[in-house]
Amino acid sequence: MRAPILVAFVSHDGQTARIAHRLGEKLVAAGLPIDVVDLARSTCTPDGVRAVVLGSSVRYGGHAKVLKAWIGRHRGALGTLPGAFFSVSLVAASTRERDRGVAERLAADFLAAAGWRPDAVRCFGGALRYRQYGVLFRLMMCRIAAKSGGSTDTSQNHDYTDWGAVDAFAEEIAGRLQTPPTQP
């Protein structure tokens, strides 16, 4: 059996986990073996994998510290593997181009600080899970949503992920991994 592709993530409210699992499903459909792992609940390493796809949600203006620490511990191995990173935030789904640029900057700054340069990076819109939030957090998220053009209807949850873009990212990753490396 071929070495698996590690799809590892850190998720706060579940949307990053949903995206990671969707990427995993699409990679399996492309004939690639995968392991999908929640890094907040796992002690996995990149040992024995063929490639890595890492993802994190953005919370309070930053990506998950546990992912940054994981990258730091495994920087040497990650530097030898094909890799991709995805960032999940509400700002990435904003109707304003300036806000989407903030999402891209947050991802670039995180990767620079972590010391990892993956082959591909994408920013996906997240979700507003108003029905799961406590009262204070719901009010704070409602205010943030109002500023970025998101829904302030707290009677329901809102999914801002462009699932077609997630599928396209999976196809891009699969294409890179299915193409044999060129011989020198």
Side-chain angles (χ1 to χ4, degrees), residues 11-181:
S11 186
H12 289 286
D13 295 322
Q15 195 71 0
T16 304
R18 287 183 65 205
I19 293 169
H21 285 282
R22 175 74 161 254
L23 289 169
E25 290 167 7
K26 296 297 179 180
L27 293 171
V28 165
L32 298 166
I34 61 113
D35 284 330
V36 178
V37 176
D38 180 347
L39 286 178
R41 294 178 173 82
S42 173
T43 58
C44 76
T45 70
D47 298 337
V49 302
R50 181 174 166 208
V52 294
V53 178
L54 301 178
S56 174
S57 56
V58 173
R59 186 100 178 218
Y60 304 118
H63 290 85
K65 291 177 183 174
V66 69
L67 180 58
K68 183 178 178 186
W70 191 89
I71 291 169
R73 283 192 306 277
H74 303 292
R75 191 175 296 120
L78 292 173
T80 67
L81 295 168
F85 175 74
F86 66 97
S87 172
V88 180
S89 65
L90 289 176
V91 72
S94 175
T95 56
R96 296 186 296 219
E97 188 175 334
R98 176 186 54 179
D99 292 344
R100 292 189 306 274
V102 168
E104 292 169 6
R105 233 177 359 269
L106 284 170
D109 290 349
F110 171 77
L111 293 169
W116 182 47
R117 286 197 272 184
D119 303 307
V121 177
R122 292 295 180 282
C123 296
F124 299 118
L128 279 171
R129 297 239 161 87
Y130 285 128
R131 303 311 307 150
Q132 294 169 230
Y133 303 151
V135 174
L136 292 177
F137 193 69
R138 185 181 308 153
L139 289 172
M140 181 182 76
M141 293 308 294
C142 188
R143 238 180 113 155
I144 291 169
K147 288 181 182 178
S148 64
S151 177
T152 57
D153 176 3
T154 61
S155 70
Q156 61 184 333
N157 295 330
H158 305 276
D159 185 339
Y160 294 104
T161 302
D162 179 343
W163 294 101
V166 173
D167 294 347
F169 189 46
E171 289 171 14
E172 178 186 335
I173 293 166
R176 289 174 187 236
L177 295 174
Q178 290 171 331
T179 305

